Amino acid sequence: MISPYPQQAEVNIYWNLLKDLDESLKVQLVTRLKKSLATKSETESAVTDEAQRAYVGMLDKLKAYKAYPAGWDGEDAVPLTPQVIANFSQLLEVIDKQLLIGLTIFPETNGTLLIDCADKEAGISLGNDKFSYYEVKDGHVTGENDIHFSVQAMAQVIKKIAA
């Protein structure tokens, strides 16, 4: 009988492939396989949990920043625009959540959103219909301004700077 659990299904397949081997050798190999699969599953689960926490954290911050009024900085800061919020929300829904690990967001005083890569010198500024990014590598600043916003273009830049 094949189990509905993927790991057990893999073990069953390997067990059938090993059917001509000595019984004690089969037991040793399958035991090692189970341990290997369990370790792999725990590692993947931990990464997935971290990505989920990053995603939820971004949603929470976005919700808080959305409520910031005009002058939120004590001076003349503009609240995030509805379009910036919509753009970032679209991105969050489709992006590989693993890419969010190590990123954080901040509102900028001009109504745009800064996506900062905490462990690297890199960031993205998201506006209503365009975004810009920069990164510092080996002492050189590179980046691009006025990129037309699309979820795909933004995800590509995040992949580039987060890598």
Side-chain angles (χ1 to χ4, degrees):
M1 179 176 121
I2 294 185
S3 168
Y5 301 101
Q7 290 178 344
Q8 187 60 47
E10 287 183 44
V11 169
N12 290 343
I13 290 168
Y14 287 115
W15 189 267
N16 287 331
L17 289 172
L18 302 173
K19 66 183 175 190
D20 295 328
L21 293 178
D22 175 74
E23 192 68 24
S24 65
L25 184 57
K26 273 198 281 192
V27 170
Q28 289 175 15
L29 289 172
V30 170
T31 301
R32 286 183 186 168
L33 176 63
K34 284 181 178 180
K35 285 181 184 175
S36 174
L37 290 172
T39 302
K40 179 181 174 186
S41 176
E42 289 170 9
T43 302
E44 288 173 352
S45 175
V47 171
T48 301
D49 290 347
E50 186 179 5
Q52 186 63 24
R53 281 192 301 276
Y55 170 72
V56 170
M58 291 239 181
L59 287 175
D60 289 346
K61 284 183 178 184
L62 186 62
K63 183 178 178 182
Y65 297 153
K66 183 178 177 179
Y68 279 20
W72 57 263
D73 67 340
E75 294 185 24
D76 57 355
V78 176
L80 289 176
T81 68
Q83 187 61 53
V84 167
I85 293 166
N87 288 349
F88 192 67
S89 296
Q90 283 179 323
L91 177 72
L92 285 178
E93 291 307 312
V94 299
I95 195 167
D96 177 0
K97 305 306 184 256
Q98 289 296 120
L99 293 173
L100 300 176
I101 297 171
L103 298 180
T104 190
I105 59 173
F106 302 99
E108 296 185 284
T109 58
N110 64 354
T112 61
L113 187 68
L114 174 65
I115 303 160
D116 186 58
C117 190
D119 60 341
K120 298 181 180 184
E121 289 185 79
I124 301 170
S125 182
L126 174 61
N128 288 330
D129 56 355
K130 295 183 180 183
F131 70 96
S132 301
Y133 78 95
Y134 77 93
E135 62 181 329
V136 179
K137 283 188 179 179
D138 302 323
H140 294 83
V141 179
T142 60
E144 193 173 340
N145 293 318
D146 297 324
I147 304 168
H148 179 74
F149 174 79
S150 74
V151 170
Q152 295 79 13
M154 188 95 167
Q156 286 299 105
V157 169
I158 289 173
K159 282 181 190 177
K160 179 180 178 180
I161 67 171

